[in-house]
Amino acid sequence: MNDLLKGFETNEYNLADNFMDQSKDLPTRMVSIYDIEFNELNPILDSDEAIEEFADAIYEEGQIRSPLNVYRNQSDSKKKYTLLGGHRRLKALLINAERYPEAQRMVPVVIEKRIEDKTEEKMKILELNEHRTLTPDQEKIVVSEYLNVYRSLESRGEKPKGQVRKWIANHMNIGEKKAEKYIHELEGYKRKKQEPRREEFIE
């Protein structure tokens, strides 16, 4: 256990890696990776091969230092927590735990307040997922997720301020032109799917 905690109780790592949050609203602790379940609302961006490569990188590094974000389960689930941010890291840790006896099995977590609204939970997941360079296909998936959140809020009278392309661009830290391109591709394709075929009008 001491080896697992190495580095956390010192200033060996920079502030971005320090999981010790003094906020009473966001208690932190070390928990078993087996006590955390994946969130079905999380968009899957990485292939199995990419996750395995990431697992190798984590193992060579020694352990992850930045926390996963979770909330406590209140259902009959055997898992104590549900994941909000950190899908890729948790999956990689579980792979390493199967491969190596000495692999990291305890992980720092920030315990968030449970979100009852699914749209708000989806938004929280998107905000907490790993910020990293994405391929165009991965970017398009994330834009689609943000677009679904925006349209959901819009439909219930809670439309975010600003144009949708600017809102998504700001959240993803991409250019507005790129965001608009993805939106047109996604919503154009959606409209095309919804349009009835010509023969459906023929009696």
Side-chain angles (χ1 to χ4, degrees), residues 113-160:
K113 183 179 179 180
R114 183 183 179 90
I115 303 172
E116 300 298 335
D117 182 87
K118 292 301 182 183
T119 298
E120 293 179 9
E121 184 174 350
K122 167 73 80 172
M123 186 66 190
K124 188 74 171 180
I125 289 168
L126 291 170
E127 291 175 345
L128 290 173
N129 270 345
E130 290 91 346
H131 294 281
R132 55 194 169 94
T133 302
L134 302 175
T135 66
D137 286 342
Q138 290 172 331
E139 276 188 337
K140 189 172 181 178
I141 291 171
V142 177
V143 168
S144 177
E145 297 290 328
Y146 272 113
L147 186 58
N148 288 337
V149 169
Y150 187 95
R151 296 305 183 203
S152 177
L153 293 172
E154 185 179 44
S155 68
R156 65 192 198 189
E158 301 173 15
K159 178 182 175 181

Side-chain angles (χ1 to χ4, degrees), residues 47-89:
S47 65
D48 291 340
E49 292 78 12
I51 293 290
E52 289 181 4
E53 289 180 10
F54 185 56
D56 289 337
I58 287 178
Y59 183 70
E60 291 175 8
E61 179 72 18
Q63 62 182 3
I64 68 165
R65 300 179 288 274
S66 54
L68 306 180
N69 294 73
V70 302
Y71 62 80
R72 288 189 177 90
N73 283 334
Q74 297 175 346
S75 63
D76 295 331
S77 173
K78 294 181 180 179
K79 307 278 188 177
K80 294 180 181 178
Y81 307 95
T82 295
L83 190 64
L84 281 170
H87 179 97
R88 186 173 70 136
R89 280 173 286 164

Side-chain angles (χ1 to χ4, degrees), residues 2 7 17 20-21 42 46 57 74 82 103 125-126 160 169 175 193:
N2 290 335
D17 287 325
M20 297 304 292
D21 188 325
N42 192 92
D46 299 281
Q74 297 175 346
T82 295
I125 289 168
L126 291 170
K193 284 185 66 177

Side-chain angles (χ1 to χ4, degrees), residues 99-117:
R99 290 176 173 174
Y100 311 109
E102 71 281 12
Q104 180 179 359
R105 287 173 172 78
M106 299 294 289
V107 63
V109 299
V110 172
I111 302 176
E112 304 270 358
K113 183 179 179 180
R114 183 183 179 90
I115 303 172
E116 300 298 335
D117 182 87

